Amino acid sequence: MIIIANGALVTPEGLRRGDIALDGGRIVEVAARIEPGPSDTVEDATGCWVLPGLIDAHTHLQCWTGMDWTADSFETGTRAAACGGTTTIVDYATADRGVTMDEALAEWHRRADGACTANYGFHMAIAEWGDDSPGQMRRMREAGVSSFKTYLAYDHLRLTDAETLRCLEAVRELDAVLCVHCENGDVVDELQRAVLARGITGPEGHPLSRPAEAEADAVSRLLYLASIAGARVNVVHLSTELGLEAVRAARARGQRGVFVETCPQYLTLDDTRYLEEGDDGFAGAKYVMSPPLRKPSDVRALRAAVLAGEVDSIATDHCSFNLHGQKDRGRGDFTRIPNGGPGIEHRPAVMATAFEGRLGPVELARLMSEGPARVFGMWPRKGRLAPGADADVCVWDPRARWTISAATQQQAVDYTPYEGMEAHGRAHLVYVGGVLAARDGAPTGARPGTYVSR
Ligand code: URP
Ligand code: ZN
């Protein structure tokens, strides 16, 4: 048995000082004091927060995104996740056009099985709608995939509104959740053409082509479609105040099953980053992700929404590409810069630092563990420290001080958007299924990650 002793435990009943025991992949006891036996391992957690293992429910590992392969594989990505405190990811398996969901799921298992340090589940992204899609979705549900994704932007991925409605009806029938990328694809396509025609070809053209209104329009449309279908939806990577207002309007109408996810980058960085030059004048490409970084007023509005409890989960949308050799192929045409950025390793530290004194351990655990566990069908097995739950635990030291840097990160990518940030707090010990996977930001070499059927 492993006993984590004398920590500040985040339990379903609230914060309490005590010990927690792990055995056989499960939490077996939570108590004020657990007497160790002669063969038990005791780890002292004095001064630390003991959190249910953190869950990142939005990642893209080892996948082709239409322009390039992501830099992180399941091996490197889940190792980096665990080093930062994340014990479970839910990755987007994607059934590209011409590929069935069964084929995509089998392929994602081939990529992930046996390679992962953190646990992994899959959403299924649907890029093409047909008569047999509901049947394929039912088979996904039986295989432990209880959430799906569709896009309202990206020409090679997006469904029409009619197809989205059909998909939402299937989601309702399966009691699943549909995650949706909310940007108006027609508007983005048109504005990309217009911005390039004005001679704006660098990374600063990216946010100009994807205005807040394009997000808000899509969020609003999605929520009306979900209301017609009576389906649960998760608005992924919400980035704007206007989009937030659309969510508030739906909730004010009494619509149930409206979940909101945002990401650390939309809570800490703004669109002035696109002007960053770096060594070769192209450093702004690091921040080319969709949706783009927004105005400081959007950052403020989203931060307030997080503090007000309007956001259900914080995920990363980790989708890493190297600046040199991948993103820089878009020099001279920002629409050719692969979209996405890294974050899987640093989400807990960025959140704890950016919200220091405003979000305590209970709130951080709600946003990064309990919230995603509930939305994505993992509760009560994950997302809580209680006997019977999986032994996924993050012992967080809020006193640690360190500097986030690409030079020391585990993520297999040549930059981090948070370079130079002095982090307040660090994952001291990270257990995945009761196995120590990382200590003080370094991997132990164990690969205990298993598939999470939801
Ligand atoms: O730019 C991003 N976020 N790329 C990943 C795909 C997506 O939109 O989620
Ligand atoms: Zn994404």
Side-chain angles (χ1 to χ4, degrees):
M1 215 161 64
I2 296 166
I3 298 172
I4 301 166
N6 206 30
L9 311 178
V10 176
T11 73
E13 294 76 38
L15 201 58
R16 63 195 236 195
R17 183 155 302 290
D19 300 352
I20 175 170
L22 317 179
D23 199 22
R26 293 289 160 95
I27 297 171
V28 290
E29 195 176 351
V30 179
R33 166 103 182 108
I34 301 171
E35 200 56 49
S39 60
D40 292 340
T41 303
V42 180
E43 291 282 359
D44 182 28
T46 303
C48 293
W49 303 339
V50 183
L51 310 172
L54 304 178
I55 299 170
D56 184 349
H58 189 152
T59 69
H60 304 271
L61 296 177
Q62 203 169 337
C63 71
W64 176 257
T65 60
M67 279 194 212
D68 210 337
W69 282 86
T70 57
D72 274 294
S73 63
F74 277 94
E75 182 184 342
T76 65
T78 61
R79 188 164 60 217
C83 289
T86 296
T87 55
T88 299
I89 65 162
V90 190
D91 194 80
Y92 282 101
T94 303
D96 285 314
R97 291 180 187 166
V99 175
T100 67
M101 296 180 213
D102 305 85
E103 288 165 345
L105 183 61
E107 178 58 28
W108 256 256
H109 271 295
R110 259 193 297 281
R111 294 174 190 177
D113 293 352
C116 291
T117 303
N119 301 311
Y120 56 98
F122 300 124
H123 312 278
M124 180 55 66
I126 303 168
E128 183 172 46
W129 190 256
D131 290 345
D132 60 342
S133 297
Q136 293 187 45
M137 290 170 72
R138 195 170 315 111
R139 289 198 294 282
M140 293 301 104
R141 188 77 169 89
E142 286 159 9
V145 175
S146 56
S147 44
F148 298 86
K149 182 179 191 183
T150 57
Y151 290 79
L152 293 170
Y154 293 126
D155 289 348
H156 65 294
L157 292 171
R158 62 177 158 141
L159 301 188
T160 65
D161 289 353
E163 291 167 337
T164 304
L165 184 58
R166 297 281 91 82
C167 185
L168 284 161
E169 287 164 352
V171 161
R172 181 203 57 224
E173 288 306 306
L174 294 172
D175 193 23
V177 180
L178 187 66
C179 302
V180 182
H181 179 114
C182 292
E183 289 184 293
N184 180 321
D186 282 347
V187 167
V188 170
D189 288 353
E190 181 54 28
L191 291 180
Q192 284 185 332
R193 277 191 288 273
V195 171
L196 286 173
R198 281 162 59 199
I200 302 172
T201 59
E204 71 278 14
H206 180 68
L208 298 177
S209 68
R210 309 183 94 98
E213 290 87 342
E215 176 173 271
D217 168 70
V219 172
S220 180
R221 189 157 29 105
L222 166 71
L223 295 179
Y224 282 123
L225 293 173
S227 175
I228 294 168
R232 293 189 293 152
V233 287
N234 183 46
V235 176
V236 298
H237 47 49
L238 184 74
S239 66
T240 60
E241 183 170 21
L242 275 182
L244 178 63
E245 284 170 4
V247 169
R248 285 179 177 148
R251 287 176 170 168
R253 292 192 296 269
Q255 189 168 336
R256 309 287 301 270
V258 175
F259 303 116
V260 172
E261 165 200 294
T262 189
C263 312
Q265 57 269 32
Y266 304 117
L267 299 168
T268 58
L269 308 175
D270 65 46
D271 62 359
T272 57
R273 296 279 176 146
Y274 293 107
L275 300 175
E276 211 174 272
E277 294 200 325
D279 297 339
D280 59 0
F282 201 61
K286 291 189 285 192
Y287 310 99
V288 170
M289 56 186 74
S290 295
L293 300 179
R294 302 296 189 177
K295 303 274 171 237
S297 57
D298 291 301
V299 175
R300 279 196 302 276
L302 287 175
R303 289 176 67 98
V306 167
L307 294 174
E310 294 177 277
V311 170
D312 300 279
S313 67
I314 304 288
T316 60
D317 194 12
H318 178 96
C319 186
S320 59
F321 298 99
N322 289 306
L323 178 60
H324 301 289
Q326 292 192 288
K327 284 189 174 266
D328 58 4
R329 284 196 222 120
R331 203 183 285 277
D333 180 350
F334 67 85
T335 67
R336 302 176 76 85
I337 301 170
N339 280 207
I344 202 167
E345 185 171 349
H346 299 131
R347 173 187 64 141
V350 171
M351 286 300 296
T353 304
F355 287 89
E356 190 174 22
R358 296 180 151 246
L359 296 177
V362 173
E363 293 79 24
L364 289 169
R366 181 182 70 74
L367 288 161
M368 294 193 282
S369 184
E370 179 186 337
R374 284 186 185 274
V375 173
F376 295 112
M378 292 178 271
W379 176 270
R381 187 178 147 198
K382 296 193 184 291
R384 84 192 167 119
L385 290 186
D390 288 353
D392 300 335
V393 180
C394 173
V395 180
W396 185 264
D397 185 352
R399 300 156 302 185
R401 298 288 179 268
W402 58 289
T403 303
I404 295 178
S405 174
T408 52
Q409 71 185 0
Q410 297 291 326
Q411 299 170 145
V413 57
D414 64 0
Y415 78 96
T416 159
Y418 308 107
E419 183 72 37
M421 177 188 276
E422 189 194 308
H424 289 195
R426 170 170 232 163
H428 170 44
L429 301 169
V430 181
Y431 294 91
V432 175
V435 176
L436 185 63
R439 185 187 284 273
D440 296 325
T444 60
R447 278 193 207 169
T450 55
Y451 175 60
V452 183
S453 175
R454 303 173 289 119

